[in-house]
Every structure is written in C-alpha cells, then in structure tokens.
Amino acid sequence: MTNHSSNALSKIDAFLRGTNAPTPFVVVDVDLVEQRYHELVKAIPAADVYYAVKANPALPIIERLVRLGSAFDVASPAEIDRCLEAGAVPAKISYGNTIKKRRDIAYAASCGVTRYTVDSEPELAKVADVAPGASVCVRLRHECGGADWPLSRKFGCDASEVENLLVLATQAGMGSGVSFHVGSQQRDVDAWDDSLQVVAHSMERARNRGATPTFVNLGGGFPGTYREHTPPIDSYGRAVRDALAKWFPSGLAEVMVEPGRYMVADAGVLRSEVVLVSRRSPLDSERWVYLDCGKFHGLAETMDEAIRYRLRTPHDGGLTGPVAIAGPTCDSADVMYEKSAYELPLALVEGDMVDILSAGAYTTTYSSVGFNGFAPLQEHFV
Ligand SMILES: Cc1ncc(COP(=O)(O)O)c(C=O)c1O
C-alpha cells in the first residue's frame, strides 16, 4: 500500500469508527482525489487532465476537480450536466464515448461541447452533421495486454482507418487528433509506447494526405491499489514522457490524458457486513462468506475476478483459511471470488464489517437500483 492510501485510510477510518450508517456504503476522501490530480500533473506535465467522470461522477469530486482546473471526459449527456452543475466550462469537456445518439451529440453541442471521439466513418459523419466545426478525436484500437480490465474489442479502429478518418475530418473542416486506451488497470508502464508509435505514423501519413491533426489523447489506464502490485505513478510518468519524446520529437500542440481509476480508486473504501459464513459440507475447508454487497451493489468489476480488491476485517492478523466470497442476492452470478485464492480470518462471523479497500472507482454507478429489493450502494464523503 502506498503512503497516500495509508493517509487516506486514516481519515476514512475516523469516519468509519464514528458512523452507524447502514451498509453497504462507500466513503470517499476528496482530498486524496486532489492529491492524485497533482501527482498525475507532475508525472506527465505536458498533458491536460480530463478526468473520466464515469469512474465516479459524485458532485464533490467533480467540484473539487473543477477548482483545480481539471477538464473532463464524459460518456453521456447526464455526465455533461453533472460537470456543468459542478461549474466546469464546456470547452473543458470532451465527449469521449465513440457511440453516441445523434440527439445526444446535438445536446452536447448546444451546451458548448466541442470535442467528440469517433472510431468509424458513420460516427464521424454524425458529428460533422450535428456539431459542425467541432474537433474529433479518432480512437485507435489498442490490444490491451497487461490490463486487468481490457477495453480493446469494443472500441477503436486500425491504423489505416485512423489515417482515413483524420483526412475526412480535415476535409469536413474539423480539428482532429488521435486517442487510444491501453486498458484499465494497466500494469505494464510500457503499454503506451506501442500505441504512440502507431499514432505518430498514422498522423504522419494523414498529414501527407492533407490532414491537420494536432493533438494526442493518451487515455486512461493508470492503476488503483488492488491485490496485485503495480508500479508507482512516477514510473508510468517516465515511460509515457519517454514514449512521447521518442515518437513526437518535435513536440505536440496538445496532449490529453483521461484518468479515471487512478484518480478515485484509492480514495474510497466500501464498507460491507458479513451476512453469513457457511460451509457446503462440514468437512469442507473452504467457507462461503456472504457479504451484504456484491456484483449488483457496485462490485461489477469482480466479473471474471478481473479486479481483485484488498479486504480488511476486524480479525486481520489471526489464522486464515480459504474462502469463496459472494453477495447477498438470489442470483448465482452474484459471486465475487471463487478462483482467486482469497483467504479470510477463521474468526470471521456474521455481523463483522468487511472493508473493501480502494473501492472509489467504478463501484457506486455500477450498483443496481434495487435488484432483489436491496438498496443501491450509498456514498459518503470526508
Ligand atoms: C474513453 C475513456 N477514457 C478514459 C477512461 C478511464 O480509464 P481508467 O479508469 O482506466 O483511467 C475510460 C474507461 O473506460 C474510457 O472509456
């Protein structure tokens, strides 16, 4: 665990010690989000930070980032509204979803949003039609090796299509640039290098055909602190700075970065309660631990056990044994961990609190509105 997450936990712990709030809930330390913003700016000084609102769209977080001068990557009109409500200026909002309804583009344009991501000709045509004069960010496909939460199959086009779309954007009188996403919770600091090479070559070829791309968007991918180790942010910063210098030796007019997870994951703790500890048969060494929080209460990223959270219990330090960990609903998909060799203290019993650490990103908004009659995951701020 980094010092920063330890600091955050001490403030969050003070809240947890003094609260009777019903579980499950997430408590977020907004000061840590601010710290993360500063750390990222220091790591990649050339880049403008566009916080990926989808990671945690809570108003206190967006308001703090507005005050710091952050820009925002949004996926929908509702996220645009949230940024505007928090005081963001439309010029600092980028509509990064490659799949947009025409009327949503029109709404964004009416709000003053001027940058839109596309990865196909039909989507470029929509933006050119509905938001003429906007600038487009053409998304390159990236094979997300090294990422615990890959984003490769659904998004992005290949290098030749990037080149083609940049040319078309210029012909339509639009500004342009190229984006990619190395996959979320990317553990390989060198992941940006390959894509930046492809981006540089595509931009060069497009320029030879008259296009005028000006910016590069490095996407997200910077990690939260989960069970498996990740390098410190300075290592990511160094690798990205080196890659930018290698592939863009004459510099770039504009560089964007769209961090989500890194900004908010470690700033949140999800408190849950043990509903039941049981065994399938008396001789089984594995216990089943059922929490009051599961896949339908914000822990969607435990799908395929992709994101492996760190857990904290009141009995830490005591003898442990193997467990499967599941949520409370009558749905057999509501199992978080069965194959990832989790162990929990043998002393753990019904009623104990289990804290799921670094749960500030991609949790609250994934929570269902009331599956099985359970209330959605609540959120508190310190
Ligand atoms: C377009 C875009 N930008 C940025 C992000 C944020 O990624 P991360 O949370 O890995 O930083 C995402 C995540 O899905 C995304 O889709």
Side-chain angles (χ1 to χ4, degrees):
M1 199 189 303
T2 66
N3 285 339
H4 291 122
S5 38
S6 311
N7 290 343
L9 284 190
S10 60
K11 259 173 93 180
I12 287 173
D13 283 346
F15 173 87
L16 291 173
R17 274 195 295 273
T19 186
N20 285 321
T23 59
F25 62 80
V26 171
V27 52
V28 173
D29 179 352
V30 185
D31 287 343
L32 186 72
V33 178
E34 172 164 349
Q35 223 170 4
R36 287 287 146 107
Y37 174 83
H38 292 307
E39 282 166 2
L40 192 64
V41 168
K42 191 167 157 224
I44 315 177
D48 297 322
V49 174
Y50 284 68
Y51 170 60
V53 172
K54 59 177 78 71
N56 189 327
L59 203 52
I61 292 173
I62 312 284
E63 284 173 342
R64 179 70 67 94
L65 289 170
V66 167
R67 286 216 297 281
L68 296 171
S70 181
F72 298 92
D73 159 58
V74 300
S76 64
E79 288 191 353
I80 294 172
D81 289 345
R82 179 58 60 92
C83 293
L84 296 177
E85 184 189 352
V89 291
K92 285 192 158 191
I93 297 175
S94 163
Y95 201 152
N97 193 342
T98 52
I99 305 137
K100 299 173 283 301
K101 286 180 179 166
R102 216 167 253 274
R103 63 175 170 274
D104 292 347
I105 301 169
Y107 177 74
S110 75
C111 293
V113 175
T114 55
R115 184 160 291 176
Y116 300 82
T117 303
V118 303
D119 62 3
S120 66
E121 234 180 284
E123 188 72 13
L124 174 63
K126 273 195 245 170
V127 177
D129 197 23
V130 182
S135 84
V136 290
C137 188
V138 179
R139 182 156 169 177
L140 171 72
R141 180 167 48 230
H142 178 103
E143 293 310 326
C144 299
D148 287 341
W149 192 256
L151 297 165
S152 49
R153 275 175 48 239
K154 186 172 169 188
F155 309 104
C157 53
D158 65 20
S160 63
E161 188 61 2
V162 169
E163 177 190 331
N164 185 35
L165 294 176
L166 290 174
V167 171
L168 290 174
T170 301
Q171 287 169 356
M174 308 172 90
S176 65
V178 182
S179 72
F180 59 94
H181 196 301
V182 294
S184 201
Q185 189 65 9
Q186 175 55 258
R187 288 196 259 153
D188 177 5
V189 299
D190 293 321
W192 282 260
D193 185 76
D194 275 357
S195 278
L196 279 171
Q197 174 180 18
V198 179
V199 170
H201 290 159
S202 306
M203 283 169 74
E204 189 54 36
R205 281 194 298 271
R207 275 199 195 95
N208 293 338
R209 292 171 55 196
T212 53
T214 55
F215 66 89
V216 169
N217 178 344
L218 304 167
F222 307 97
T225 309
Y226 303 122
R227 203 177 69 171
E228 279 76 23
H229 172 78
T230 49
I233 194 64
D234 321 357
S235 306
Y236 286 84
R238 198 173 315 114
V240 169
R241 293 195 308 271
D242 288 352
L244 282 169
K246 177 157 77 168
W247 301 115
F248 296 92
S250 355
L252 276 158
E254 189 186 344
V255 179
M256 303 163 65
V257 66
E258 288 177 345
R261 191 182 300 280
Y262 172 75
M263 300 280 285
V264 289
D266 292 355
V269 169
L270 195 167
R271 169 149 284 191
S272 67
E273 182 184 328
V274 176
V275 181
L276 175 70
V277 180
S278 64
R279 291 175 204 265
R280 289 278 167 264
S281 96
L283 297 179
D284 263 4
S285 62
E286 182 184 67
R287 291 160 300 152
W288 276 74
V289 173
Y290 298 90
L291 304 176
D292 64 357
C293 169
K295 276 229 167 65
F296 302 102
H297 297 86
L299 298 177
E301 290 196 326
T302 59
M303 205 184 296
D304 298 328
E305 311 197 11
I307 296 295
R308 291 172 292 279
Y309 294 99
R310 293 169 298 141
L311 306 179
R312 184 176 64 178
T313 80
H315 309 289
D316 286 355
L319 278 181
T320 63
V323 287
I325 306 174
T329 64
C330 301
D331 191 312
S332 59
D334 193 10
V335 176
M336 284 81 85
Y337 302 117
E338 236 189 311
K339 303 186 191 108
S340 298
Y342 269 82
E343 297 232 341
L344 283 173
L346 296 174
L348 195 73
V349 289
E350 169 201 347
D352 280 340
M353 297 296 159
V354 172
D355 290 333
I356 298 166
L357 306 182
S358 297
Y362 302 113
T363 48
T364 50
T365 49
Y366 266 132
S367 178
S368 83
V369 295
F371 185 50
N372 275 212
F374 293 110
L377 186 62
Q378 300 299 306
E379 196 165 25
H380 305 281
F381 301 91
V382 294

